[in-house]
């Protein structure tokens, strides 16, 4: 059968379209990363990490050697995927320091290498020791490890952004879920180290804020016993029921033991059968390695392919910080830290981070708004903010210090 004239015209049109698409696809696949003869804009990102091998009550909880750094590496690769077509090249320079040591020398060495963006996985004291120096030199710091509220409040700095959640955000996320479950009566057990006391303070604040009732508190003193010996396990199995025996009637046992002294031993060993939450049992975090919602499977699979393990909270905080830099550099077409910081603070900025919504920074203390994951060792139980906890600006602002409460002055 001979096709009619209209059929011939249509056939030739489709043939030409398909040929054009094929040529365009071939051209895009073979296109050079940047225009010929143009030097790529190099964005040097530093990762400053306070590291020493640590122990945990469970060997399964010992942090991976590359915790945090791995998240930054994956994000830098993501940045370069886009940057290759925009004439941008992102590099990562990792420096390790001793916990509690002076980090100013390491900071100056990073600056000498041309680093103008630093992902800081440091203690609050170490971060503050370089924050003002960084500000004088036009260096932007992203805090990916320290949960201390003081860094966002009394000791906030205009050149420091925070992708790690605060203790108050974590405590509020946990408290919202307990209130949503109608588990309102809590006992609070806390350790004797400063981080334990700070998280206990955050839990007390959350109780006052959301209507929880702390019916009793008890301090667990760290006496430096050998916790991993066989006799230690027997001792703990006997000690925990006795330690929790004289507590009043309660719905949930809250534990504040960031120092990993006793909290892991509480579930299934309490005097009366009650759920445990806080730093053991049901734990609040920035991310969960079992998260698969909101495209989580995508980032998890990519992370596993690149690193060989699942993504942890600090990995996500570091990944988000590096992606914030990449997104801002792409949108501003500039590597100038001042221009990048201005854009990150603006109403136009947002970053997608596989957590259900695009995230932004709070203008009053430069803390990243983000949901809080609640989970045990194997699965995500829930995410906060919970249903029914409302806010006039963003429901994410029901987690942590809100603008009317802040003591931060960025001027």
């Amino acid at each position: 059968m001979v096709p009619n004239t209209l059929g011939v015209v249509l056939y030739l049109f489709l043939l030409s379209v398909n040929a054009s698409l094929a040529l365009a696809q071939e051209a895009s696949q073979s296109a050079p990363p940047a225009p010929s003869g143009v030097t790529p804009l190099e964005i040097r990102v530093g990762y400053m990490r306070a590291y020493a091998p640590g122990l945990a009550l469970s060997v399964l909880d010992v942090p991976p050697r590359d915790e945090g750094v791995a998240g930054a590496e994956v994000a830098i690769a993501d940045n370069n995927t886009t940057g290759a077509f925009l004439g941008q090249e992102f590099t990562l320079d990792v420096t390790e320091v001793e916990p509690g040591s002076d980090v100013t020398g390491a900071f100056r060495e990073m600056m000498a290498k041309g680093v103008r963006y630093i992902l800081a996985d440091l203690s609050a004291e170490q971060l503050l020791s370089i924050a003002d120096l960084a500000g004088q030199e036009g260096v932007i710091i992203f805090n990916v490890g320290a949960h201390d509220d003081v860094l966002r409040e009394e000791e906030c700095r205009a050149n420091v952004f925070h992708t790690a959640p605060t203790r108050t955000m974590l405590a509020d996320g946990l408290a919202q879920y307990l209130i949503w479950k109608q588990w309102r009566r809590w006992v609070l057990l806390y350790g004797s180290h400063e981080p334990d006391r700070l998280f206990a303070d955050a839990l007390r604040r959350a109780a006052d804020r959301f209507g929880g009732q702390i019916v009793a508190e008890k301090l667990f003193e760290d006496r430096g016993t050998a916790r991993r010996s066989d006799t230690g396990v027997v001792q703990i199995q006997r000690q925990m029921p006795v330690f929790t025996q004289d507590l009043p009637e309660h719905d949930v046992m809250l534990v504040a033991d960031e120092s990993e002294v006793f909290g892991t031993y509480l579930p299934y060993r309490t005097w009366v059968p009650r759920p445990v939450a806080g730093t053991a049992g049901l734990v609040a975090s920035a991310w969960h390695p079992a998260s698969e919602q909101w495209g989580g499977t995508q980032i998890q699979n990519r992370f596993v392919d690149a690193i060989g393990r699942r993504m942890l909270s600090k990995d996500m905080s570091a990944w988000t910080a590096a992606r914030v830099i990449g997104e801002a550099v792409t949108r501003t077409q500039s590597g100038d830290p001042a221009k990048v910081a201005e854009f990150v603070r603006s109403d136009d900025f947002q970053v997608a981070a596989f957590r259900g919504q695009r995230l932004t920074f709070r203008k009053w203390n430069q803390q990243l708004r983000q949901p809080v994951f609640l989970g045990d060792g194997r699965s995500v139980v829930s995410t906060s903010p919970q249903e029914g906890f409302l806010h006039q600006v963003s429901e994410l602002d029901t987690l942590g210090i809100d603008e009317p409460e802040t003591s931060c002055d960025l001027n």
Side-chain angles (χ1 to χ4, degrees):
M1 180 178 179
V2 180
N4 58 32
T5 303
L6 180 60
V8 171
V9 172
L10 180 60
Y11 173 78
L12 293 175
F13 173 76
L14 292 175
L15 184 63
S16 66
V17 170
N18 289 334
S20 299
L21 289 175
L23 289 172
Q25 183 178 14
E26 181 180 354
S28 66
Q29 290 173 346
S30 60
S36 177
V38 176
T39 303
L41 173 64
E42 185 178 14
I43 310 298
R44 298 185 66 89
V45 179
Y47 193 108
M48 185 174 290
R49 181 191 194 199
Y51 176 79
L55 294 176
L57 293 182
S58 168
V59 295
L60 300 179
D61 294 331
V62 175
R65 181 67 177 81
D66 59 353
E67 182 186 25
V69 175
E73 291 174 343
V74 172
I76 292 295
D78 292 344
N79 288 349
N80 282 326
T81 299
T82 303
F85 295 96
L86 299 173
Q88 300 166 355
E89 181 182 357
F90 295 81
T91 62
L92 184 68
D93 187 293
V94 180
T95 296
E96 289 189 351
V97 297
E98 292 288 331
S101 65
D102 182 359
V103 299
T104 55
F107 171 77
R108 289 191 174 93
E109 289 178 7
M110 276 193 163
M111 287 181 53
K113 296 177 182 178
V115 170
R116 290 298 178 267
Y117 301 92
I118 290 181
L119 311 187
D121 184 5
L122 304 170
S123 69
E125 293 76 16
Q126 288 174 317
L127 193 153
L128 286 174
S129 72
I130 62 172
D132 291 334
L133 178 60
Q136 295 167 10
E137 300 295 336
V139 173
I140 303 301
I141 297 176
F142 288 85
N143 168 31
V144 304
H147 299 296
D148 305 68
D149 283 85
V150 68
L151 292 176
R152 290 81 162 171
E153 297 303 319
E154 294 85 356
E155 296 292 343
C156 65
R157 299 291 190 275
N159 64 313
V160 181
F161 295 85
H162 308 271
T163 57
T166 63
R167 288 188 177 92
T168 54
M169 291 171 67
L170 298 174
D172 286 354
L174 178 60
Q176 284 189 14
Y177 179 71
L178 299 181
I179 295 301
W180 182 82
K181 289 288 293 180
Q182 299 296 314
W183 298 342
R184 296 178 177 274
R185 292 174 301 174
W186 309 336
V187 296
L188 174 60
L189 310 181
Y190 59 97
S192 54
H193 297 277
E194 183 64 16
D196 311 331
R197 296 178 183 274
L198 290 174
F199 190 53
D201 288 341
L203 290 170
R204 294 184 188 102
R205 173 186 173 277
D208 291 339
R209 191 179 195 193
F210 297 113
Q213 182 184 5
I214 297 179
V215 297
E217 296 187 14
K218 200 166 187 179
L219 169 67
F220 189 97
E221 194 73 42
D222 182 8
R223 304 188 184 280
T225 56
R227 295 168 291 171
R228 284 191 171 179
S229 66
D230 291 339
T231 54
V233 171
V234 173
Q235 178 186 12
I236 290 295
Q237 183 163 327
R238 293 175 178 173
Q239 185 178 6
M240 287 298 102
V242 174
F243 180 66
T244 59
Q245 181 177 5
D246 58 348
L247 297 171
E249 180 61 30
H250 56 280
D251 300 315
V252 180
M253 183 171 291
L254 298 182
V255 54
D257 178 37
E258 291 189 18
S259 305
E260 278 282 299
V261 173
F262 71 101
T264 301
Y265 292 137
L266 279 170
Y268 310 110
R269 293 188 176 101
T270 56
W271 183 259
V272 294
R274 293 293 182 271
V276 175
T279 57
L282 184 65
V283 178
S285 59
W287 181 251
H288 195 285
S291 177
E292 295 182 337
Q293 288 184 296
W294 308 305
T297 300
Q298 176 189 344
I299 185 63
Q300 295 278 21
N301 289 343
R302 197 161 76 245
F303 191 87
V304 170
D305 289 343
I307 306 301
R309 61 173 176 81
R310 304 288 285 184
M311 198 176 203
L312 303 178
S313 285
K314 193 175 289 186
D315 297 314
M316 175 52 82
S317 293
W319 181 90
T320 304
R323 283 294 299 125
V324 166
I325 298 170
E327 178 70 15
V329 169
T330 297
R331 293 287 300 278
T332 62
Q333 288 292 290
S334 171
D336 181 1
K339 292 183 179 178
V340 166
E342 182 181 5
F343 178 70
V344 170
R345 296 187 191 103
S346 74
D347 294 334
D348 295 328
F349 177 80
Q350 54 185 0
V351 63
F354 305 97
R355 282 174 272 186
Q357 53 190 300
R358 293 184 180 273
L359 309 182
T360 59
F361 284 91
R362 292 170 177 159
K363 295 183 184 299
W364 59 91
N365 62 5
Q366 303 192 149
Q367 168 65 51
L368 184 72
R369 294 180 173 95
Q370 57 191 292
V372 167
F373 288 76
L374 306 172
D376 56 14
R378 300 191 62 84
S379 65
V380 178
V381 175
S382 184
T383 55
S384 290
Q386 296 293 319
E387 181 182 358
F389 290 86
L390 305 178
H391 192 276
Q392 64 271 26
V393 176
S394 169
E395 291 180 3
L396 292 174
D397 286 340
T398 63
L399 306 175
I401 305 296
D402 199 2
E403 186 170 13
E405 307 169 282
T406 189
S407 55
C408 174
D409 182 5
L410 293 172
N411 299 319

